């Protein structure tokens, strides 16, 4: 499996020149982000940042930590604000933030691990949640365990923490919120004689009954989808139904999975949901009013809000729960990233305290990031702040950010082991065959299990 991962990343990412360092203090001379967009984003100032970062010097008394992350307006901005907050009580503290696209970060980690040379790694790095388990399993020596760091992990949702937890040990501190939302057009709902309240805390069967009325009244599908297995995986998580149990693939005899695929097929067959394989068409279907809603990670809100003429016509509710499935809830997570401390960090006490004080303890930080960078917190106490309780005109006066953080706190944990991409790919094939070719659900789930087991055995 390790060789397979290395080969894939070598094909997709060029070898990065890695210049980094560990935490430094006193007279040390040199102290050298959720999504596909993170993998392809480029920084206009990348070369300048690299040059300046690798030449950074720690003056007498300075304490420096090196950070790798991507996206200057989101993750890099967040780190800069965290640095400013920590400096209020630690004036000699400094971050050396090196901007790297995510594929380069992951490639650098693998290169270091394969070479057995970790001194190229930074103190802190950002990792996409869906890659965490894979890298912990294959390269555990890259990470520093955070369980005894002083961070209060109870202040984050179990669903989010599950991505960066292995064998009961914490290896990451959650950052941006990927809680699943159902965004719906309130005007289209009202045209069907319904209210937004009708769509809260529903089951899928209840939702479909309501959705048919919206479809009939407006002549468009209730939901738009980006295709593939994403929404099925969200349904799985909403029931806490892990596809990996005790280290073994658990797709066959997974009641939640069978029900989720059945629901997906009904949504398509009855015209309640439309699939788009092209991302631009998917986004356009929301912005042009070609669908009355979407179920997705809360990061989709920035795309919805691009249609300024629809201000006041949207609302946010939780997703439907699977019928007759043990443990089913109305909450899931899709996307996001978490901060990790590398094994190369020589000043773990400083790294732990910085993360605990900022991303794991500062409502002030998240109050700054929400309006200025669009970062929705995974830190649950943020939901109580005045900033998070402000009403949004775009969403009809709803305090949407408070609601989303509360959704996040109710997400069940789910385990993909190191095989998220394998599972997602196999389920996409299964769903396609069921929906487009009328294949048997049980048979396709068996095929998916066989495919995943074969892939992870190599």
């Amino acid at each position: 499996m390790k060789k397979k991962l290395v080969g894939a990343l070598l094909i997709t990412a060029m070898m990065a020149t890695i210049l980094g360092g560990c935490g430094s203090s006193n007279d040390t001379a040199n102290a050298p982000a959720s999504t596909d967009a993170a993998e392809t984003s480029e920084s206009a100032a990348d070369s300048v940042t690299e040059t300046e970062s690798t030449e950074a010097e720690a003056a007498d008394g300075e304490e420096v930590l090196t950070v790798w992350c991507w996206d200057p307006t989101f993750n890099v901005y967040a780190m800069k604000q965290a640095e400013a907050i920590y400096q209020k009580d630690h004036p000699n503290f400094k971050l050396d933030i090196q901007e790297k696209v995510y594929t380069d970060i992951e490639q650098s980690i693998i290169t270091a691990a394969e070479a057995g040379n970790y001194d190229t790694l930074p103190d802190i790095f950002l990792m996409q949640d869906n890659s965490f388990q894979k890298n912990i399993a294959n390269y555990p020596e890259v990470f520093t365990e955070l369980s005894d760091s002083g961070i209060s992990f109870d202040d984050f949702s179990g669903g989010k923490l599950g991505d960066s937890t292995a064998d009961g040990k914490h290896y990451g501190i959650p950052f941006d919120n990927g809680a699943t939302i159902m965004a719906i057009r309130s005007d289209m709902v009202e045209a069907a004689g319904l209210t937004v309240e009708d769509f809260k805390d529903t089951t899928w069967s209840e939702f479909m009954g309501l959705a048919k009325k919206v479809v009939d009244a407006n002549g468009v599908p209730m939901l738009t989808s980006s295709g593939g297995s994403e929404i099925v995986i969200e349904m799985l998580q909403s029931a806490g139904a892990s596809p990996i149990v005790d280290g073994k693939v658990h797709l066959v005899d997974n009641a939640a999975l069978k029900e989720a695929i059945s629901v997906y097929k009904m949504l398509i067959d009855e015209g309640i949901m439309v699939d788009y394989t092209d991302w631009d068409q998917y986004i356009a279907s929301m912005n042009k009013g070609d669908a009355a809603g979407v179920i997705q990670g809360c990061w989709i809100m920035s795309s919805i809000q691009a249609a300024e003429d629809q201000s006041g016509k949207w609302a946010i509710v939780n997703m439907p729960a699977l019928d007759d499935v043990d443990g089913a809830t109305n909450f899931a997570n899709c996307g996001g990233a978490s901060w990790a401390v590398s094994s190369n960090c020589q000043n773990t006490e400083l790294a732990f305290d910085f993360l605990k004080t900022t991303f794991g303890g500062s409502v002030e930080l998240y109050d700054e990031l929400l309006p200025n960078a669009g970062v929705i917190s995974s830190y649950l106490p943020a939901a109580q702040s005045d900033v998070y309780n402000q009403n949004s005109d775009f969403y009809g006066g709803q305090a949407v950010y408070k609601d989303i953080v509360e959704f996040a706190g109710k997400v069940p944990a789910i385990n993909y082991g190191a095989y998220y991409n394998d599972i997602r790919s196999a389920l996409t094939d299964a769903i396609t065959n069921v929906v487009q070719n009328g294949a048997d659900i049980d048979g396709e789930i068996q095929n998916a299990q066989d495919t995943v087991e074969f892939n992870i055995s190599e």
Side-chain angles (χ1 to χ4, degrees), residues 64-233:
V64 181
L65 294 174
T66 305
V67 180
W68 286 354
C69 57
W70 63 92
D71 194 340
T73 64
F74 197 83
N75 305 314
V76 174
Y77 178 84
M79 260 298 166
K80 289 180 178 178
Q81 299 309 307
E83 176 188 32
I85 286 175
Y86 195 70
Q87 285 173 337
K88 292 179 181 179
D89 293 324
H90 305 82
N92 293 326
F93 178 76
K94 181 180 179 181
L95 286 182
D96 174 14
I97 304 171
Q98 300 182 13
E99 184 186 335
K100 293 177 177 284
V101 295
Y102 182 66
T103 48
D104 286 351
I105 291 176
E106 194 163 23
Q107 177 61 57
S108 297
I109 288 168
I110 290 175
T111 300
E114 290 295 310
N117 179 10
Y118 305 103
D119 60 13
T120 56
L121 298 178
D123 297 296
I124 297 169
F125 59 91
L126 189 62
M127 176 159 284
Q128 288 184 356
D129 288 335
N130 60 22
S131 296
F132 235 109
Q133 290 289 332
K134 171 186 69 177
N135 286 304
I136 293 171
N138 289 300
Y139 311 108
E141 58 279 354
V142 164
F143 299 86
T144 295
E145 186 186 346
L146 303 181
S147 301
D148 297 324
S149 63
I151 295 168
S152 178
F153 290 101
D154 289 341
D155 286 334
F156 299 89
S157 78
K160 180 77 171 178
L161 287 170
D163 292 322
S164 57
T165 303
D167 298 323
K169 299 176 181 179
H170 294 288
Y171 293 94
I173 177 169
F175 176 41
D176 55 324
N177 194 324
T180 298
I181 60 171
M182 182 161 68
I184 57 176
R185 284 283 297 269
S186 54
D187 57 333
M188 292 186 180
V189 165
E190 291 165 3
L194 302 170
T195 68
V196 170
E197 288 290 325
D198 293 327
F199 286 84
K200 294 181 179 179
D201 301 322
T202 62
T203 63
W204 276 104
S205 61
E206 292 168 345
F207 167 78
M208 283 191 271
L210 296 169
K212 288 177 183 177
K213 295 180 180 179
V214 176
V215 172
D216 290 342
N218 295 277
V220 298
M222 180 71 210
L223 296 175
T224 182
S225 168
S226 59
S229 56
E230 192 162 73
I231 193 169
V232 167
I233 287 175

Side-chain angles (χ1 to χ4, degrees), residues 283-303:
I283 299 300
S285 67
M286 304 171 217
N287 296 157
K288 294 181 179 180
D290 293 335
V294 62
I295 293 176
Q296 186 56 276
C298 57
W299 41 265
I300 199 65
M301 292 166 67
S302 61
S303 296

Side-chain angles (χ1 to χ4, degrees), residues 243-262:
I244 298 291
V245 176
D246 297 328
K248 297 180 180 179
V249 183
H250 181 57
L251 302 182
V252 173
D253 298 325
N254 187 322
L257 176 59
K258 182 174 182 178
E259 178 65 14
I261 295 176
S262 298

Side-chain angles (χ1 to χ4, degrees), residues 112-440:
E114 290 295 310
N117 179 10
Y118 305 103
D119 60 13
T120 56
L121 298 178
D123 297 296
I124 297 169
F125 59 91
L126 189 62
M127 176 159 284
Q128 288 184 356
D129 288 335
N130 60 22
S131 296
F132 235 109
Q133 290 289 332
K134 171 186 69 177
N135 286 304
I136 293 171
N138 289 300
Y139 311 108
E141 58 279 354
V142 164
F143 299 86
T144 295
E145 186 186 346
L146 303 181
S147 301
D148 297 324
S149 63
I151 295 168
S152 178
F153 290 101
D154 289 341
D155 286 334
F156 299 89
S157 78
K160 180 77 171 178
L161 287 170
D163 292 322
S164 57
T165 303
D167 298 323
K169 299 176 181 179
H170 294 288
Y171 293 94
I173 177 169
F175 176 41
D176 55 324
N177 194 324
T180 298
I181 60 171
M182 182 161 68
I184 57 176
R185 284 283 297 269
S186 54
D187 57 333
M188 292 186 180
V189 165
E190 291 165 3
L194 302 170
T195 68
V196 170
E197 288 290 325
D198 293 327
F199 286 84
K200 294 181 179 179
D201 301 322
T202 62
T203 63
W204 276 104
S205 61
E206 292 168 345
F207 167 78
M208 283 191 271
L210 296 169
K212 288 177 183 177
K213 295 180 180 179
V214 176
V215 172
D216 290 342
N218 295 277
V220 298
M222 180 71 210
L223 296 175
T224 182
S225 168
S226 59
S229 56
E230 192 162 73
I231 193 169
V232 167
I233 287 175
E234 289 173 281
M235 292 182 201
L236 262 184
Q237 180 163 39
S238 73
S242 295
I244 298 291
V245 176
D246 297 328
K248 297 180 180 179
V249 183
H250 181 57
L251 302 182
V252 173
D253 298 325
N254 187 322
L257 176 59
K258 182 174 182 178
E259 178 65 14
I261 295 176
S262 298
V263 167
Y264 188 103
K265 178 172 170 54
M266 284 189 284
L267 291 171
I268 297 295
D269 288 349
E270 297 185 22
I272 296 171
M273 185 171 75
V274 61
D275 261 346
Y276 291 94
T277 55
D278 180 88
W279 186 262
D280 290 339
Q281 291 179 355
Y282 168 57
I283 299 300
S285 67
M286 304 171 217
N287 296 157
K288 294 181 179 180
D290 293 335
V294 62
I295 293 176
Q296 186 56 276
C298 57
W299 41 265
I300 199 65
M301 292 166 67
S302 61
S303 296
I304 294 172
Q305 291 161 211
E308 297 178 2
D309 61 316
Q310 295 175 11
S311 179
K313 298 179 180 180
W314 285 87
I316 302 295
V317 297
N318 50 15
M319 69 180 291
L322 292 171
D323 292 86
D324 303 320
V325 171
D326 290 341
T329 75
N330 298 91
F331 309 99
N333 188 83
C334 181
S338 299
W339 301 103
V341 176
S342 86
S343 59
N344 187 45
C345 181
Q346 301 301 307
N347 196 342
T348 54
E349 183 177 351
L350 177 63
F352 291 169
D353 190 64
F354 166 68
L355 291 173
K356 177 184 71 174
T357 304
T358 55
F359 295 100
S362 176
V363 172
E364 177 189 358
L365 172 61
Y366 292 109
D367 280 355
E368 159 68 25
L369 297 180
L370 178 62
N372 294 310
V375 177
I376 303 176
S377 174
S378 289
Y379 180 60
L380 301 181
Q384 306 309 314
S385 78
D386 291 340
V387 172
Y388 274 75
N389 279 271
Q390 289 179 0
N391 297 333
S392 167
D393 291 339
F394 191 92
Y395 297 98
Q398 181 181 354
V400 289
Y401 301 112
K402 171 181 177 292
D403 291 345
I404 290 168
V405 176
E406 290 178 353
F407 290 175
K410 300 175 183 178
V411 177
I414 191 170
N415 181 21
Y416 294 98
Y419 315 117
Y420 175 86
N421 290 330
D422 295 276
I423 291 168
R424 179 166 177 171
S425 176
L427 288 180
T428 296
D429 290 342
I431 293 163
T432 299
N433 286 333
V434 168
V435 173
Q436 295 185 6
N437 303 322
D440 175 68

